[in-house]
Amino acid sequence: MKVNLTRYSRTFVFACLTFFNITISTALAAEAEEFVAKLKTHYQKTLSINAFTLNQHFTNKQYRDLNYWDYKTPNVYMSVRSAEVDLARKHFYDNDILYYAGGRLYDRVKMQNNTESFFYERSATTIGKASFKRGMDYFDIFKNHIVMNFDFLAVRPLFEEANIEENITLHQDSIPGNTTLTHKISDDNVIDYKFSHNPLQLVSINKGGQSGIFVYSDYQTTRGLTYARTVHKYFEGTTEPTYITFNDHFGIIDKVDPGKLQVPEGYNSKIPKWDGVLVSKEIAQDLYLVTDASAYQNSLFKVNGDKIAVYGATEDSDLAEKTIKLILEKFPNKKITSVYVTHPHGDQIDGLKVFVDQGIEILADEYSISAIKAYPRFADDITRFKFQTIEHEQVIDGAHFYVLENMHSKRQSFVYFKDSGIIFQADFLHIPYDNTIAKVIPSYTKTFIDFVRSKQLKVNRIVAFKHNNNISVDIMNKTYDVNM
């Protein structure tokens, strides 16, 4: 039987459907409000916490292409963190120590008081006895990161939402016993919070895209406070954790120790700001340094007749283009034929494609070449890469190459210009701009210095790939003696 809806009946049906939808929406909104209220009751004891101290250690995969020992089995390095935070006053002190392969220690501090925000190093490994001012928005950047480590802090935005009906939606998860709350922060910012029911615990937070997914587990109770002791963090769509954080301690305090909110005495070194303006300077016959005012990154190039060899590729394409442009403007009738790579970490090779696009050959040891060929960012272009393998103690156009086994990279080399007594190296010797000697010297630094001494190389100047392009033998020797 064919049914025709009259205008009246169509209106009636529409009204019923509208009523049904409103009823469902109202019910779901009521469920969301009820669940948020339940959460607030569950976390009630933690809502008054505004100042706290924490200790944690974590594994880090995000930057391992800068620090792995062997690209075939890239290592994960560990960090430890201690921090004091005052959410109400917007004060914080954050000290984290990174332990790299070969024994290198990177001990850094970030802090903010009422009027200033600073970054400095306690280990003096990169910027020495300098300190950098940060903007007063530094606290908010730090806060957004640090609160994600503790479930009871990470859920607070749900309790601060004034319009639950409009901005928080409840979903019963496909997994029995789980509920997801979707919190709309803005039109293009939505966060999912997943909770288990028995017991009531935060399972995960999905902030989307590069902002990350956080998975909480191993809940334990200490001094009446229950929180997840392990947080797995996934960024940029990875299927394995970028970080795994272990929350070792959480304590409630009245305020951040005032003594920690000032830069210690002696941190008065000045480093010119990196301005991106490259300059070249002849430092020996036909041997030129390419650098900027801060010596953030340094390369050499040597003129051999109508050919030019570059020593030290760049960490990104922009610097590579600027380096090539500077050299060719200085010597427009000559041709860059090769670029030398000391070892295959990301910050040493990321700019290589620009050189390859110019038909420039890459000089590197056998291990480094194999690692470059396996580097994911070069996968689409690797067939265009041209290589020349350098051997230990090989001499090419007056440049002496030495390839050493060491604990920074399975193979790392340096180049020695005998006539001028100049060495170009990357990560054997870390010396800041102000020549401060680090407190802890990695094993591979001693490997390098022992080798230079054993070969009785007459050295006048050491150019480092980063931070310092005029390291003296005296500074090298003082570095060696730190742990003696």
Side-chain angles (χ1 to χ4, degrees):
M1 180 178 66
K2 186 176 181 181
V3 178
N4 291 314
L5 291 178
T6 65
R7 179 181 178 186
Y8 172 81
S9 60
R10 287 197 300 268
T11 303
F12 176 77
V13 171
F14 176 76
C16 289
L17 290 175
T18 302
F19 176 77
F20 178 78
N21 287 334
I22 291 174
T23 302
I24 293 297
S25 298
T26 303
L28 291 176
E31 286 185 20
E33 290 183 358
E34 181 181 348
F35 196 81
V36 171
K38 183 178 179 180
L39 290 174
K40 195 169 185 179
T41 300
H42 176 74
Y43 288 109
Q44 189 64 44
K45 289 195 300 183
T46 70
L47 297 180
S48 61
I49 298 174
N50 279 319
F52 54 89
T53 181
L54 63 90
N55 295 96
Q56 57 189 203
H57 66 281
F58 55 95
T59 58
N60 186 339
K61 290 185 178 180
Q62 185 162 10
Y63 304 111
R64 66 180 179 183
D65 69 330
L66 308 183
N67 297 284
Y68 59 70
W69 181 71
D70 183 3
Y71 77 94
K72 294 180 180 178
T73 55
N75 48 290
V76 177
Y77 56 91
M78 190 185 76
S79 303
V80 297
R81 163 174 276 131
S82 60
E84 294 184 21
V85 185
D86 189 327
L87 299 174
R89 296 182 178 91
K90 291 193 172 184
H91 293 171
F92 79 94
Y93 170 89
D94 177 36
N95 172 219
D96 64 324
I97 305 172
L98 288 75
Y99 297 91
Y100 295 117
R104 186 186 181 197
L105 189 72
Y106 185 34
D107 187 347
R108 60 188 179 180
V109 171
K110 292 165 279 188
M111 48 76 63
Q112 182 169 308
N113 54 35
N114 284 334
T115 58
E116 294 179 308
S117 188
F118 283 99
F119 170 89
Y120 63 92
E121 295 174 355
R122 300 201 309 177
S123 57
T125 52
T126 304
I127 62 172
K129 289 294 184 178
S131 60
F132 293 149
K133 279 191 175 183
R134 303 294 192 186
M136 292 304 287
D137 61 345
Y138 206 35
F139 176 83
D140 293 327
I141 296 171
F142 170 76
K143 174 191 171 184
N144 290 338
H145 167 73
I146 207 69
V147 298
M148 299 306 297
N149 291 300
F150 294 93
D151 56 284
F152 55 86
L153 297 176
V155 299
R156 284 190 179 182
L158 293 172
F159 310 143
E160 296 164 357
E161 175 57 61
N163 191 346
I164 294 177
E165 182 177 351
E166 289 291 329
N167 295 323
I168 296 181
T169 306
L170 181 145
H171 310 275
Q172 295 300 336
D173 201 88
S174 58
I175 301 175
N178 282 355
T179 293
T180 297
L181 292 181
T182 298
H183 188 190
K184 180 182 176 182
I185 308 299
S186 64
D187 288 340
D188 58 353
N189 187 2
V190 175
I191 301 174
D192 289 333
Y193 299 78
K194 180 180 290 188
F195 296 89
S196 65
H197 291 182
N198 189 22
L200 182 58
Q201 290 175 346
L202 177 65
V203 175
S204 66
I205 296 178
N206 186 347
K207 301 182 79 172
Q210 295 184 351
S211 298
I213 297 173
F214 305 80
V215 179
Y216 300 82
S217 61
D218 190 22
Y219 279 82
Q220 298 180 34
T221 301
T222 303
R223 294 187 297 278
L225 189 62
T226 302
Y227 55 91
R229 296 305 177 98
T230 306
V231 186
H232 289 68
K233 305 174 183 179
Y234 302 79
F235 293 96
E236 298 182 356
T238 59
T239 57
E240 58 178 351
T242 310
Y243 300 92
I244 303 177
T245 299
F246 302 89
N247 294 315
D248 302 312
H249 169 76
F250 183 93
I252 302 170
I253 57 177
D254 294 325
K255 60 181 180 180
V256 178
D257 180 354
K260 294 180 177 178
L261 296 178
Q262 304 295 328
V263 177
E265 290 186 11
Y267 282 82
N268 51 11
S269 291
K270 302 297 181 184
I271 299 176
K273 288 185 178 180
W274 185 78
D275 56 12
V277 178
L278 297 182
V279 295
S280 65
K281 178 183 178 182
E282 189 172 17
I283 59 175
Q285 185 175 355
D286 295 326
L287 185 64
Y288 294 81
L289 169 69
V290 177
T291 188
D292 77 290
S294 69
Y296 170 73
Q297 187 168 303
N298 311 288
S299 299
L300 296 179
F301 71 90
K302 191 172 188 299
V303 178
N304 303 296
D306 60 351
K307 298 179 181 179
I308 294 174
V310 178
Y311 301 90
T314 56
E315 69 174 5
D316 60 53
S317 298
D318 182 56
L319 273 174
E321 289 172 355
K322 288 180 178 180
T323 299
I324 293 172
K325 183 174 183 289
L326 178 70
I327 295 171
L328 295 181
E329 284 179 349
K330 193 174 188 69
F331 296 99
N333 298 320
K334 300 183 186 298
K335 182 180 180 181
I336 300 173
T337 57
S338 64
V339 58
Y340 162 66
V341 174
T342 61
H343 63 291
H345 286 174
D347 60 341
Q348 307 294 317
I349 65 174
D350 268 346
L352 276 179
K353 185 178 175 297
V354 175
F355 289 90
V356 170
D357 290 341
Q358 299 286 330
I360 297 169
E361 189 174 57
I362 300 166
L363 302 184
D365 65 89
E366 184 178 10
Y367 168 79
S368 295
I369 290 174
S370 64
I372 292 169
K373 289 180 177 180
Y375 196 53
R377 296 178 192 177
F378 298 152
D380 294 336
D381 302 282
I382 196 62
T383 56
R384 298 192 296 107
F385 281 51
K386 294 185 295 184
F387 296 97
Q388 179 179 347
T389 305
I390 59 170
E391 304 288 346
H392 180 55
E393 298 189 336
Q394 185 175 358
V395 181
I396 302 175
D397 293 328
H400 297 245
F401 295 92
Y402 299 99
V403 184
L404 306 184
E405 295 183 22
N406 65 103
M407 289 305 297
H408 179 69
S409 179
K410 193 170 184 178
R411 293 293 184 275
Q412 184 179 188
S413 61
F414 70 93
V415 59
Y416 171 60
F417 301 94
K418 184 177 180 180
D419 292 343
S420 58
I422 292 174
I423 286 177
F424 175 82
Q425 60 86 40
D427 288 329
F428 280 121
L429 192 59
H430 306 281
I431 304 294
Y433 184 90
D434 63 1
N435 287 319
T436 301
I437 308 300
K439 295 180 180 180
V440 177
I441 304 303
S443 63
Y444 51 83
T445 294
K446 293 184 179 294
T447 298
F448 167 74
I449 298 174
D450 282 338
F451 181 82
V452 169
R453 290 174 175 177
S454 69
K455 286 292 184 180
Q456 297 182 339
L457 302 183
K458 294 181 180 180
V459 180
N460 296 317
R461 176 177 183 169
I462 300 172
V463 176
F465 180 69
K466 284 190 176 182
H467 305 300
N468 196 327
N469 55 49
N470 195 6
I471 303 169
S472 67
V473 174
D474 181 56
I475 291 296
M476 182 183 75
N477 291 336
K478 286 180 179 179
T479 301
Y480 188 89
D481 293 338
V482 163
N483 293 334
M484 298 299 288

